[in-house]
Amino acid sequence: RHAIDSWPADYRIDSSKKLYFYTAMNSKLLQPLFDAGRLWQGQSSRTTAVWSSGHPALDRQLVGGGWPAHGLLECLTELPSTALFGLWLPVWQQISSLGQGLGLLNPSYQLSAEGLQQQAISPQVVHVVRCARDEQAWTLEQLVRSGTLASILCCAEAPYQTKQLRRLHLAAQDVGCQLVIIRHSAAGRLPSPAPTRWSLTRDADGLHLHVSKQAGRPPVTLCVPTSPNRPLACPPARRRVALLDTKTLQ
């Protein structure tokens, strides 16, 4: 401000336009951060990479028309992780159709190759990883930074520290990976660096989502009907998806 006020009178702009000038100038300086998704502007129309949720009503309520394709997303729920996996099937179908990698960390169920094929997901692109709970944050970061996975679902809760979540979010944005983690509903009272956060419950009508946090949008609640024709886990006698050892990540 002092720099502009010291300009010769012929070069000064009137005070009513100063705020606009500063805003435009600062936006230009901060544009790389906006483009990287590390800062966002309220009511911004900036294009964000997304994957369709597979539900038009939900897409209309999500910024950009779908779930963010990059960065950390948090699902707050007390439901089994199969509920999140069922919700994310349309996203994985899109990614699989492009031949991009998918990661599943510490699922409570056993996937089979046949079950994935029935859902139009190629078993060849799905990597299941198991690790100890106290190694979960480290394992997630290694999976993200591998650069081979477009979307990762972490199906088990863990006591994350804020700095760990921040590292995961920045890593996922830098690499261009979608990282979805499950946290207990009680974690909703804690701050989080995740730009997108929602709670998930279920009743006879289907899955109820309360999207409490997303860039530039107020909270929204809606119901997504579940399909009985989507098997999430198959009998163990069937051919299983290959299981990765965390040692291979080192």
Side-chain angles (χ1 to χ4, degrees):
R1 176 175 181 176
H2 294 296
I4 294 179
D5 288 339
S6 65
W7 288 357
D10 292 343
Y11 293 91
R12 292 183 189 176
I13 54 178
D14 62 78
S15 59
S16 64
K17 296 181 180 178
K18 281 184 179 179
L19 180 59
Y20 175 82
F21 179 84
Y22 283 121
T23 302
M25 183 174 66
N26 290 336
S27 295
K28 182 177 180 181
L29 293 173
L30 298 176
Q31 194 59 48
L33 294 178
F34 291 132
D35 293 339
R38 296 187 181 183
L39 291 178
W40 61 272
Q41 296 171 291
Q43 305 302 322
S44 172
S45 59
R46 181 176 62 85
T47 301
T48 302
V50 299
W51 295 108
S52 170
S53 70
H55 303 279
L58 178 55
D59 283 346
R60 287 192 293 270
Q61 300 299 328
L62 295 172
V63 174
W67 295 114
H70 308 148
L72 178 65
L73 294 79
E74 281 189 12
C75 175
L76 305 171
T77 186
E78 297 174 34
L79 296 176
S81 57
T82 50
L84 175 61
F85 187 76
L87 179 66
W88 231 252
L89 277 177
V91 175
W92 275 30
Q93 289 166 349
Q94 297 166 69
I95 296 174
S96 174
S97 68
L98 299 176
Q100 299 182 27
L102 301 165
L104 196 62
L105 181 64
N106 286 340
S108 59
Y109 44 88
Q110 178 62 57
L111 292 177
S112 77
E114 287 81 358
L116 290 172
Q117 288 174 335
Q118 291 173 12
Q119 301 305 321
I121 298 174
S122 171
Q124 286 73 27
V125 302
V126 179
H127 306 277
V128 180
V129 181
R130 297 191 185 277
C131 68
R133 293 292 178 90
D134 59 355
E135 297 178 345
Q136 195 157 280
W138 178 87
T139 302
L140 282 173
E141 186 171 353
Q142 305 315 305
L143 288 171
V144 169
R145 293 194 181 280
S146 70
T148 61
L149 304 174
S151 178
I152 301 171
L153 295 187
C154 181
C155 299
E157 298 175 35
Y160 298 105
Q161 298 178 11
T162 300
K163 63 180 181 180
Q164 291 176 321
L165 295 175
R166 187 176 297 110
R167 281 179 61 91
L168 290 172
H169 174 56
L170 293 178
Q173 283 202 322
D174 289 341
V175 175
C177 173
Q178 180 192 71
L179 174 57
V180 188
I181 64 172
I182 284 182
R183 302 187 72 186
H184 191 275
S185 298
R189 297 191 293 268
L190 303 174
S192 171
T196 304
R197 207 179 199 194
W198 73 96
S199 59
L200 186 65
T201 58
R202 180 169 54 194
D203 61 16
D205 296 326
L207 293 173
H208 292 263
L209 290 85
H210 175 67
V211 184
S212 58
K213 182 182 179 184
Q214 59 174 331
R217 289 285 182 89
V220 62
T221 301
L222 72 163
C223 178
V224 173
T226 54
S227 171
N229 298 320
R230 288 180 170 176
L232 304 180
C234 296
R238 297 187 178 182
R239 184 163 54 95
R240 296 179 176 182
V241 176
L243 186 67
L244 299 183
D245 191 323
T246 55
K247 292 180 181 179
T248 63
L249 301 174
Q250 301 178 0

